[in-house]
């Protein structure tokens, strides 16, 4: 009889360990999701900073050029200046696109890692259930063996 009780206790301990492993995996996945949201906010902030820096530089360059050219009477020089500013804008657009792509990649990796973590928890819980079943059956078999 004591073997049966010991098997049951061992089985319940295995089930508790499995539930704990699954809960821990779910918490880890949630932490990854929160980190992903924080990373996304940081990336958006970086994009906003980059745009702000570009706009400040553009305004500053425009003011300096206007002052130096005496109001922009020379159309050829003015066109060259604005062409250069346009190419800087293309660089800005490429920078923002790169930041956006990096954000999407990071978001996908975080989501996948969270799903893997949840699946790991589920598998740990299933393994614990089989271990518990083995403990119950083992305890039952020992109790039958020692009774006979």
């Amino acid at each position: 009889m004591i073997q049966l009780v010991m098997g049951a206790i061992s089985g319940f301990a295995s089930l508790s360990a499995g539930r704990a492993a699954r809960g821990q995996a779910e918490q880890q996945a949630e932490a990854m999701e929160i980190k992903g949201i924080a990373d996304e906010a940081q990336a958006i902030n970086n994009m906003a900073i980059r745009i702000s820096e570009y706009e400040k530089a553009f305004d500053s360059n425009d003011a300096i050029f206007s002052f130096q050219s005496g109001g922009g009477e020379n159309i050829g020089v003015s066109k060259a200046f604005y062409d250069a500013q346009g190419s800087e804008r293309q660089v800005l657009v490429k920078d923002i696109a790169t930041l956006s792509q990096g954000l999407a990649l990071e978001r996908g990796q975080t989501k996948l890692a969270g799903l893997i973590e949840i699946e790991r928890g589920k598998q740990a819980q299933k393994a614990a259930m089989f271990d518990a079943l083995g403990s119950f059956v083992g305890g039952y078999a020992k109790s039958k063996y020692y009774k006979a």
Side-chain angles (χ1 to χ4, degrees):
M1 181 66 167
I2 190 133
Q3 294 83 4
L4 186 59
V5 171
M6 294 303 289
I9 290 171
S10 177
F12 285 121
S14 293
L15 289 174
S16 294
R19 280 192 300 273
R22 184 171 183 168
Q24 184 180 19
E26 288 172 353
Q27 286 178 342
Q28 185 69 20
E30 188 175 324
M32 288 177 184
E33 184 70 25
I34 291 169
K35 181 188 178 304
I37 291 168
D39 289 347
E40 183 175 354
Q42 181 63 43
I44 290 169
N45 187 48
N46 290 344
M47 285 186 244
I49 289 169
R50 179 67 179 98
I51 290 169
S52 176
E53 288 172 351
Y54 167 80
E55 288 173 348
K56 285 179 188 175
F58 184 86
D59 291 344
S60 176
N61 288 346
D62 196 27
I64 291 169
F65 176 76
S66 183
F67 175 75
Q68 288 178 344
S69 67
E73 292 88 14
N74 188 335
I75 294 174
V77 174
S78 182
K79 181 179 178 336
F81 172 76
Y82 287 111
D83 285 348
Q85 293 287 65
S87 65
E88 289 177 17
R89 180 139 181 93
Q90 289 174 349
V91 170
L92 170 70
V93 169
K94 287 180 184 176
D95 286 352
I96 297 300
T98 300
L99 287 169
S100 181
Q101 288 170 348
L103 172 62
L105 181 62
E106 184 71 28
R107 190 180 312 141
Q109 289 174 340
T110 301
K111 182 73 171 171
L112 181 61
L115 292 173
I116 290 170
E117 193 65 25
I118 288 171
E119 187 59 32
R120 185 190 65 77
K122 288 178 182 177
Q123 294 303 320
Q125 189 174 23
K126 284 179 186 176
M129 286 194 306
F130 284 117
D131 188 39
L133 182 61
S135 295
F136 290 136
V137 170
Y140 178 75
K142 284 182 184 176
S143 72
K144 287 292 184 186
Y145 177 77
Y146 290 115
K147 266 189 176 178

